[in-house]
Amino acid sequence: KHLIEWLDFAVSEGLVNYVASNYEFSHDQILLAAISLIPKNERGAWHLQIGNQILASNKETASDKVQFMAVSQLNRGAASITNRLQRIELAWLNASLGGKCVSSAVYPLAASYFESGVSLLDDTCWEDHYDLCLKLYVPSAEAHYCNGDFEKMERILNVIFQRARCFADKHNAYFTLVNARVAQGKLHEAIRVGLFVLSELGESFPSSPDESDIAADYSKTKNLLKTKTDTEILALHPMKDENKIAAMQLMSSLILCTGLAKNKFLSLLAFRMVQLSLCHGICNNSTIGFSIFGVLLSGSFNDIKGAYHFGQLSLQLLKRLQANECVARL
């Protein structure tokens, strides 16, 4: 507590600035003067001492500001940490703060915390600290994708695909890969990867769909819809199957790139989203499925009345589910 008060006093005196969860000297010359007082071989130890002191002084009521400040100091002295347990503990702190940055969409800072956490791991961590590795690597790939650093993203994704123990632990990484391929304009590759992931989630599609496949799936969807009124659809229970929820999320992303690529899978994806919603319950992405189904009725089946009907139904679902992240898509 006293350390933070002293630092805040330095801020008020103009010697230090508080920027992006860090205290920084307000001028390079002030920084150089302060650093010159500490021998080079002792600087890492000083960073560790400061970081640990901050955490110890605020153990019971550590705010985000305090945590970010403490971990920033500890990361600067991480090379001096030789105790493996201490390195693992700091890696967990980095994973936590990186996650908070992702929640606030501060992806450059998130990526730096995840990278710091990964740098603290050794070769055996994927065996004896598996959950920690996932919490660092998976969101790190997403952060690098959001930053447009596709080279680092690819490198991290390759590690996840090689070391993750089961497909369930890989599918968020695959989602990042699909979104990255769309951002890179590689639509056909995004579709290829997406269809592979969907098959692993239990949702297979024809490899080369033709008009007969589309007609058959359209008929199946229409027949399912006949079994429920709008009131019954709006009252459907929430989707609980994790694989179905993940499939709905991925199909929502794939609908965008299949539309841009003018790909026949667009219709099959929309039909499947409606079918899953009717059979397994509704989720936020159900709003997208019903909406695109309405678009298809208008553009491909010349059913203007039906298109309007399902457009309105998707808006009612949106309101019921409070699916704010889907508003722009609808």
Side-chain angles (χ1 to χ4, degrees):
K1 180 179 179 181
H2 294 303
L3 176 59
I4 294 174
E5 290 175 353
W6 294 334
L7 288 170
D8 287 339
F9 175 75
V11 171
S12 69
E13 291 294 309
L15 298 172
V16 172
N17 296 323
Y18 182 70
V19 181
S21 305
N22 287 302
Y23 285 95
E24 300 176 352
F25 288 100
S26 58
H27 195 281
D28 289 346
Q29 293 303 314
I30 299 174
L31 170 62
L32 291 173
I35 290 177
S36 67
L37 299 173
I38 307 173
K40 287 185 179 180
N41 62 340
E42 296 180 13
R43 289 172 190 172
W46 273 100
H47 284 302
L48 290 180
Q49 183 178 342
I50 293 169
N52 285 320
Q53 181 63 41
I54 294 170
L55 287 178
S57 300
N58 299 271
K59 203 167 188 179
E60 301 300 326
T61 58
S63 64
D64 284 350
K65 174 182 175 180
V66 169
Q67 288 184 338
F68 278 109
M69 183 172 58
V71 173
S72 177
Q73 288 294 322
L74 293 171
N75 284 340
R76 292 178 188 180
S80 300
I81 303 176
T82 57
N83 183 287
R84 187 171 187 261
L85 179 58
Q86 291 177 352
R87 294 177 69 84
I88 295 300
E89 289 175 349
L90 180 54
W92 273 111
L93 287 172
N94 276 285
S96 174
L97 296 186
K100 290 180 179 180
C101 292
V102 168
S103 299
S104 301
V106 188
Y107 294 107
L109 192 57
S112 71
Y113 280 111
F114 291 132
E115 286 184 336
S116 294
V118 168
S119 70
L120 291 159
L121 305 179
D122 57 37
D123 291 339
T124 65
C125 281
W126 277 97
E127 282 71 47
D128 49 13
H129 293 284
Y130 181 74
D131 289 344
L132 172 59
C133 289
L134 290 179
K135 286 185 179 294
L136 285 169
Y137 275 87
V138 175
S140 178
E142 180 188 4
H144 286 303
Y145 148 65
C146 292
N147 293 332
D149 194 338
F150 298 112
E151 184 177 342
K152 284 186 178 179
M153 179 206 73
E154 297 274 2
R155 191 160 60 246
I156 293 166
L157 287 176
N158 286 335
V159 175
I160 297 169
F161 296 149
Q162 291 171 13
R163 305 297 297 270
R165 294 173 182 170
C166 61
F167 188 80
D169 292 338
K170 299 177 185 179
H171 71 236
N172 282 333
Y174 275 114
F175 289 175
T176 296
L177 179 59
V178 169
N179 290 331
R181 292 294 181 259
V182 175
Q184 292 171 300
K186 300 177 180 179
L187 301 180
H188 293 290
E189 187 176 347
I191 295 169
R192 179 187 63 78
V193 174
L195 292 174
F196 161 73
V197 177
L198 285 172
S199 69
E200 293 293 317
L201 292 171
E203 300 299 327
S204 299
F205 290 85
S207 56
S208 300
D210 54 26
E211 295 301 325
S212 64
D213 293 314
I214 294 172
D217 223 24
Y218 171 67
S219 178
K220 177 181 178 181
T221 306
K222 290 284 284 185
N223 288 334
L224 276 173
L225 285 166
K226 289 177 183 178
T227 65
K228 296 189 185 299
T229 65
D230 286 2
T231 302
E232 290 173 328
I233 292 173
L234 291 169
L236 284 169
H237 60 81
M239 189 175 290
K240 296 178 180 179
D241 188 310
E242 293 296 329
N243 281 351
K244 303 302 180 189
I245 293 171
M248 290 287 286
Q249 179 185 344
L250 181 54
M251 285 189 283
S252 179
S253 296
L254 287 177
I255 274 179
L256 173 62
C257 59
T258 52
L260 292 171
K262 298 181 180 179
N263 191 291
K264 290 182 179 180
F265 282 106
L266 171 64
S267 299
L268 297 181
L269 290 167
F271 297 156
R272 187 67 58 86
M273 291 182 79
V274 172
Q275 292 167 17
L276 290 181
S277 298
L278 295 173
C279 296
H280 296 276
I282 53 176
C283 63
N284 287 3
N285 284 303
S286 297
T287 61
I288 304 296
F290 281 100
S291 175
I292 301 300
F293 182 71
V295 171
L296 292 171
L297 289 179
S298 172
S300 301
F301 298 96
N302 199 30
D303 182 1
I304 305 301
K305 184 178 179 180
Y308 177 78
H309 172 81
F310 284 102
Q312 290 297 307
L313 181 62
S314 68
L315 290 174
Q316 292 178 63
L317 274 173
L318 181 75
K319 183 177 180 180
R320 184 209 150 177
L321 296 170
Q322 295 293 299
N324 295 329
E325 72 274 17
C326 300
V327 171
R329 298 278 301 276
L330 266 64

